[in-house]
Amino acid sequence: MQVRTFDTPQTVAEQFATDLSQWMEDSSGPFNIALSGGSTPKILFQHWAQNFQAAVWEKVHFYWGDERCVPPDNSDSNFGVTNQLFFEPSKIPATNIHRVLGESEPVAEAVRYSQLIANNLVSVNDLPQFDVVLLGMGTDGHTASIFPDQMQLLDDDEICAVATHPDTGQKRVTMTGKPIANAKRIAFLITGQSKKDKFASIQSKADDSKLWPATQFIHQENTIVYVDKSVIE
Ligand code: 6PG
């Protein structure tokens, strides 16, 4: 893993956007990225909408690493947030957007979304391969919607599965561990002091860090972790 530190969440998002442009430029053919929910991506989406020309996105296909099981116009919808802050202002064509249908029955939707991903992406190591999977980390060490009490999702054989938020009981459709780990690149955007203790334990490979889903992806060789200074100072 590589950890890169920036002054603010804004500069975290801006640097990731710069790196992503380079990776998109270097790649031929369709470029598949799995987006995430959370606070830092909101800054990223606004930055993309304000600073990137529509043409940049022509070959880019957008998926999600996780989605809350709510309709797209619900304020909890990860698609809804991205749509409002980025897709609509940047006029991203609907054919490039592959959302999880949060309004559908979760188990059936996890199956449908798994098939969609398997059909659309190249297969490497017998698993679909995203060019980039964007992730965040919750204060409980969760990532995507793989929570510490559902660690078995890290080894699940399906591409996507249904998860349950441990506090609210909200259903989520999440990508499982293997397809996430199989991405060409994983980018974590982690900001805010509330992540400091967990991140320090993960970095030092403390025993308790094994209990948190984010840990194994953070330690992968092809992972870049973008943090703001409040996470490490
Ligand atoms: C979601 C996520 C989730 C998120 C983390 C970090 O849909 O909630 O994909 O895994 O990335 O909870 O969120 P913050 O960036 O808000 O801390």
Side-chain angles (χ1 to χ4, degrees), residues 6-22:
F6 301 90
D7 280 348
T8 62
Q10 180 71 35
T11 45
V12 164
E14 286 174 10
Q15 186 59 51
F16 170 69
T18 303
D19 291 348
L20 181 75
S21 317
Q22 189 60 53

Side-chain angles (χ1 to χ4, degrees), residues 35-41 66-68 78 135-139 142-145 172 189 191 195:
L35 300 174
S36 77
S39 53
T40 319
D66 72 320
E67 179 60 283
R68 293 96 186 266
N78 286 340
L135 294 172
M137 178 181 79
T139 49
H142 83 261
T143 192
S145 281
R172 310 272 182 97
L189 307 188
T191 60
K195 314 283 171 67

